Amino acid sequence: MISIIVATDDDLLIGKKDSSNGMPWHNKEDLQHFKKTTLHQTILMGKTTYMAIGRPLPHRKTIVVTRGELDDERVEVRHDLVETIQEYKNKKEDLFICGGASIYKQALPYVDELMISRIPGKHEGETYFPSFDEYNFQLEKETQMETFVLQIYKKG
Ligand SMILES: NC(=O)c1ccc[n+]([C@@H]2O[C@H](COP(=O)([O-])OP(=O)(O)OC[C@H]3O[C@@H](n4cnc5c(N)ncnc54)[C@H](OP(=O)(O)O)[C@@H]3O)[C@@H](O)[C@H]2O)c1
């Protein structure tokens, strides 16, 4: 299954440039949810998100997409996002698309599932999750966590 995993606020904000890790908030519970979901899995992210995190996340295979070069032996560098997604679809392996905005936007037509942590409130930042109205996702499950609502959408 190809999944998007993302945390957004009420306005679908996802990123803030001058924060320590690129996120507009510090939400420990969401970080734990992200860790639990992606541990020992393959995660894919754009170069900007990778640079904002600053290192590969432990115990996960990390694919970083860039149209340029990235000299980092700790991750697998790919130059074609859609080709990489199709490869995982074909071999029926799970892939977690972890952002950022430009990667989410391009991946939306190909993913089977959206896993959205809805962080309540409005925050400061400049990067937003794209609208996904046109892709026919249906809300399948909604779980009230302590500090956010976890929504699972599947493609209809
Ligand atoms: N809230 C969340 O859950 C969450 C999750 C992830 C990220 N974020 C935030 O989102 C922000 C970053 O988003 P962003 O849109 O600016 O950047 P991004 O999507 O992380 O990365 C963009 C870069 O990825 C590469 N790229 C994009 N499309 C590509 C393609 N089709 N093939 C190959 N490479 C491709 C390009 O790298 P080159 O320029 O090197 O070619 C591009 O500059 C940060 O603030 C981050 O913290 C939030």
Side-chain angles (χ1 to χ4, degrees):
M1 174 141 64
I2 313 294
S3 306
I4 274 179
I5 182 164
V6 63
T8 79
D9 77 358
D10 292 347
D11 295 331
L12 293 185
L13 182 75
I14 63 164
K16 183 171 191 275
K17 276 199 179 87
D18 57 0
S19 77
S20 60
N21 61 357
M23 302 288 272
W25 46 75
H26 292 282
N27 186 304
K28 216 171 153 187
E29 190 186 20
D30 180 50
L31 294 180
Q32 281 164 355
H33 152 71
F34 181 86
K35 184 175 175 184
K36 195 173 149 208
T37 307
T38 59
L39 215 54
H40 308 300
Q41 303 287 333
T42 304
I43 61 176
L44 178 151
M45 64 187 78
K47 190 174 161 191
T48 307
T49 294
Y50 180 62
M51 299 310 272
I53 298 170
R55 65 191 164 91
L57 296 169
H59 310 302
R60 277 149 278 200
K61 175 179 168 183
T62 303
I63 299 174
V64 178
V65 293
T66 171
R67 295 188 181 92
E69 298 304 320
L70 175 63
D71 191 12
D72 188 333
E73 287 178 352
R74 302 169 299 176
V75 298
E76 186 174 313
V77 179
R78 294 292 189 99
H79 302 286
D80 191 321
L81 172 66
V82 173
E83 188 182 277
T84 308
I85 293 174
Q86 293 292 10
E87 188 183 306
Y88 276 76
K89 260 189 194 288
N90 292 344
K91 58 184 182 183
K92 296 190 181 359
E93 273 185 32
D94 292 338
L95 179 66
F96 288 87
I97 312 281
C98 301
S102 77
I103 300 300
Y104 288 141
K105 192 170 180 4
Q106 296 173 74
L108 270 169
Y110 307 98
V111 303
D112 307 301
E113 177 186 68
L114 306 180
M115 203 177 283
I116 309 183
S117 300
R118 297 276 190 180
I119 312 285
K122 295 169 188 288
H123 299 78
E124 273 180 38
E126 62 293 303
T127 309
Y128 290 84
F129 192 73
S131 161
F132 53 94
D133 294 347
E134 66 187 279
Y135 296 109
N136 202 24
F137 284 101
Q138 315 286 343
L139 181 61
E140 197 182 82
K141 196 174 172 202
E142 203 164 45
T143 310
Q144 178 66 59
M145 311 292 277
E146 255 178 60
T147 58
F148 64 92
V149 176
L150 179 61
Q151 294 182 325
I152 309 288
Y153 289 84
K154 301 270 190 202
K155 213 166 248 174

